[in-house]
Amino acid sequence: MKKIATRLATMADIDQLAVMFDAYRQFYELAPDLVLSRQFIHDRMLGSESVLILAEDDEGAAAAFCQLYPTFCSLAAAPIYALYDLYVRPEARQLGAGRALLLAAEAHALRNGAVRLDLTTAKTNLPAQSLYQALGRTRDDIFYAYSKNLAA
């Protein structure tokens, strides 16, 4: 069984991150667009607007990634992170990559003074929900999330 290790991604990882980010977007039924995916990852890293954590197997192959966005919680008057993207390559599923990324994200958030780590997933993504609950996350049954598409 392959061992999974996590680390903070660097600019040198952009190409492999872009491939996984594009696959992540396709999982959510968006059209493939590797150029857009690479540019988005590049811009977030260049501007230090997000934190990307890469999971690799014991041979150094990229297995998964997650992307965290630093933000704040007004009610707690404290910093938090939003884990917005998490993707595990199909061939790396069941190796513990998702679990390793969630634990690495939590550790990173704690090291940086965050009081909470939020994430959302599709209602149909039952495997992810099972993992989130197994790692002590609780589903919000109090608040509804609303959004409005502002792009034409």
Side-chain angles (χ1 to χ4, degrees):
M1 183 164 172
K2 293 184 177 186
K3 183 180 174 195
I4 298 293
T6 61
R7 63 176 176 82
L8 292 179
T10 68
M11 292 296 262
D13 300 312
I14 286 177
D15 289 334
Q16 60 187 348
L17 287 166
V19 170
M20 288 190 291
F21 186 66
D22 193 44
Y24 166 79
R25 294 179 75 249
Q26 290 174 54
F27 176 82
Y28 283 103
E29 300 180 2
L30 295 171
D33 193 334
L34 188 56
V35 172
L36 173 84
S37 295
R38 188 183 191 290
Q39 189 65 52
F40 185 83
I41 294 296
H42 176 268
D43 291 350
R44 300 296 72 75
M45 291 181 83
L46 189 63
S48 299
E49 297 170 337
S50 72
V51 175
L52 286 121
I53 302 173
L54 184 62
E56 299 171 314
D57 66 21
D58 50 6
E59 297 169 358
F65 83 99
C66 71
Q67 185 164 207
L68 307 167
Y69 295 92
T71 189
F72 297 91
C73 174
S74 300
L75 297 178
I80 63 171
Y81 276 87
L83 192 161
Y84 204 85
D85 312 312
L86 190 151
Y87 179 77
V88 179
R89 288 186 170 186
E91 63 273 16
R93 294 183 182 151
Q94 304 303 316
L95 296 179
R99 176 181 296 272
L101 283 172
L102 286 169
L103 295 174
E106 185 177 313
H108 177 83
L110 284 168
R111 277 192 310 273
N112 287 279
V115 298
R116 194 174 75 222
L117 177 61
D118 291 341
L119 61 88
T120 59
T121 192
K123 291 178 182 179
T124 57
N125 194 352
L126 299 179
Q129 292 173 39
S130 178
L131 174 60
Y132 301 154
Q133 291 169 6
L135 290 175
R137 273 74 176 168
T138 55
R139 188 172 64 206
D140 186 339
D141 292 325
I142 299 171
F143 294 96
Y144 290 110
Y146 292 89
S147 64
K148 181 179 183 181
N149 188 357
L150 301 176

